[in-house]
Amino acid sequence: MKIKVLGSAAGGGYPQWNCNCKNCQAVRNGTPGYTARTQSSIAISDGSPNWILVNASPDLLTQIKNTPELQPNRGPRDTGLAAVMLMDAQIDHSTGLLMMREGKTPMRLYTTPAVWEDLTNGLPLVPTLGFYCGVKWTPLCTECDEPFSIAPLESIKIKSIPLVSKAPPYSPSRYAQRRGDNIGLLIEDQNTGKKVFYAPGLEEITPDLLPHMLDADVLMVDGTFWTEDEMVAQGFSSKMAADMGHLPQSDKPGKPGSGMISQLKQFKHQRKVLIHINNTNPILNERGEERARLTQEGIEVSYDGMEILA
Ligand code: MLT
Ligand code: MN
Ligand code: ZN
């Protein structure tokens, strides 16, 4: 399979429109060692011209402009995007759906029932799209362990795995997570036998995730924050990483072994890649000590346009 990172930043992107933090300033000034990023999304293909869009970012149109494989190549109206799957109902992962409203057939959308409900009521993108292309929904099961495929990508088998993270701020379940508010994926290509675990929003590596992660060849996981109090320490928010459903790279104060770097040590044979990186995160300085630490630990930082073959 081929995975294309369309957007590697967290909500707000990098630089963020109203942010003057050190990183946003540096990238706006063209300082060497800082690279702009669009908001969180990947596309998966089996090697054919067909792709599954995983998360629809508000930057989707820019991402398609930057990705010839997704552009209309086969007829007067065409797209490489066969279907869309969402990991949650967050704004940075869902509002790009509106940019696909010109589709000539109903959009094929795969979400959990919890995400469907948020996008029907709290942020009514689904009823809105009903007035344009319409939506053909396939519910993702959060109780069954059965892998499924999405036509025409028959060799790609996907398992949806419920995760501990957070529903969006507008959701009635923001403070009482429902199963299926957030999921990750275990994606297998049956032609190569390789598997990728993808979880851009992940607050905790719970024991039930271990078999899936150990089974994977590549782990693409939440890279939002370097520290638990990053937004608070930089004066941008009163929210800690956990309040937003993210596991920081560094250990939490008083909790040795709790951070993503420590947690990833148990995966000895997997390629490890961070995705969904917030603009405040010091790992965005490619020449900084935090980035050097990741490199030392064998952890990569994804970038827009990155391709992962598995
Ligand atoms: C999050 O994952 O916490 C989001 O990026 C927040 C947002 O989209 O504003
Ligand atoms: Mn996000
Ligand atoms: Zn910033």
Side-chain angles (χ1 to χ4, degrees):
M1 81 182 93
K2 188 190 267 191
I3 293 189
K4 193 121 189 171
V5 175
L6 302 180
S8 52
Y14 177 55
Q16 180 175 310
W17 67 282
N18 64 344
C19 187
N20 206 18
C21 75
K22 225 171 119 220
N23 286 338
C24 286
Q25 254 177 48
V27 76
R28 262 189 217 105
N29 293 338
T31 310
Y34 294 83
T35 307
R37 287 170 155 77
T38 61
Q39 294 168 85
S40 180
S41 175
I42 63 170
I44 304 168
S45 105
D46 56 356
S48 77
N50 303 300
W51 298 77
I52 304 165
L53 181 67
V54 183
N55 293 324
S57 125
D59 298 320
L60 180 63
L61 297 184
T62 305
Q63 295 168 344
I64 292 174
K65 268 185 209 143
N66 293 338
T67 315
E69 299 95 306
L70 303 183
Q71 295 167 6
N73 292 318
R74 295 169 293 193
R77 285 285 164 96
D78 176 47
T79 172
L81 297 172
V84 189
M85 193 167 5
L86 303 183
M87 300 300 95
D88 54 51
Q90 294 271 6
I91 285 181
D92 60 339
H93 283 162
S94 64
T95 49
L97 293 178
L98 292 177
M99 302 306 126
M100 299 174 81
R101 66 191 177 282
E102 298 89 355
K104 287 292 140 197
T105 50
M107 177 189 297
R108 293 168 60 203
L109 183 63
Y110 291 72
T111 75
T112 63
V115 167
W116 180 256
E117 190 184 316
D118 278 344
L119 296 182
T120 300
N121 299 311
L123 177 64
L125 300 181
V126 166
T128 305
L129 285 168
F131 294 94
Y132 297 85
C133 55
V135 178
K136 183 177 178 297
W137 179 46
T138 304
L140 294 177
C141 181
T142 52
E143 304 299 335
C144 27
D145 215 23
E146 270 308 291
F148 59 93
S149 59
I150 296 182
L153 292 86
E154 300 302 341
S155 76
I156 306 282
K157 295 283 174 203
I158 301 172
K159 272 187 197 176
S160 59
I161 303 161
L163 302 176
V164 174
S165 188
K166 288 278 179 291
Y170 69 78
S171 171
S173 58
R174 173 73 167 181
Y175 300 106
Q177 197 192 10
R178 295 165 295 188
R179 197 172 166 85
D181 276 326
N182 306 83
I183 59 166
L185 301 176
L186 187 66
I187 310 150
E188 176 178 10
D189 185 338
Q190 292 192 314
N191 288 335
T192 62
K194 300 281 186 199
K195 294 179 187 167
V196 176
F197 177 84
Y198 172 67
L202 180 58
E203 186 177 327
E204 194 187 331
I205 298 180
T206 47
D208 57 304
L209 298 187
L210 293 180
H212 301 298
M213 294 177 76
L214 288 165
D215 197 23
D217 300 280
V218 183
L219 303 173
M220 297 180 78
V221 292
D222 190 325
T224 313
F225 297 119
W226 179 251
T227 54
E228 176 67 10
D229 69 347
E230 186 166 311
M231 296 291 276
V232 180
Q234 295 191 36
F236 292 123
S237 169
S238 56
K239 289 181 195 149
M240 303 296 253
D243 298 328
M244 301 174 74
H246 302 297
L247 177 65
Q249 283 102 61
S250 311
D251 292 342
K252 300 185 191 189
K255 291 190 181 159
S258 62
M260 188 64 91
I261 295 174
S262 303
Q263 294 276 308
L264 287 180
K265 285 188 201 289
Q266 60 192 304
F267 305 103
K268 304 220 180 310
H269 308 294
Q270 284 75 8
R271 181 174 175 191
K272 301 159 198 171
V273 183
L274 298 180
I275 191 156
H276 188 279
I277 300 145
N278 200 57
N279 56 71
T280 49
N281 191 327
I283 65 173
L284 288 173
N285 177 0
E286 291 149 25
R287 300 169 182 191
E289 60 186 78
E290 293 84 358
R291 178 66 81 94
R293 169 88 199 284
L294 292 181
T295 305
Q296 207 178 28
E297 300 285 348
I299 301 173
E300 299 169 60
V301 178
S302 66
Y303 51 87
D304 293 17
M306 182 184 198
E307 285 186 357
I308 291 179
L309 296 173

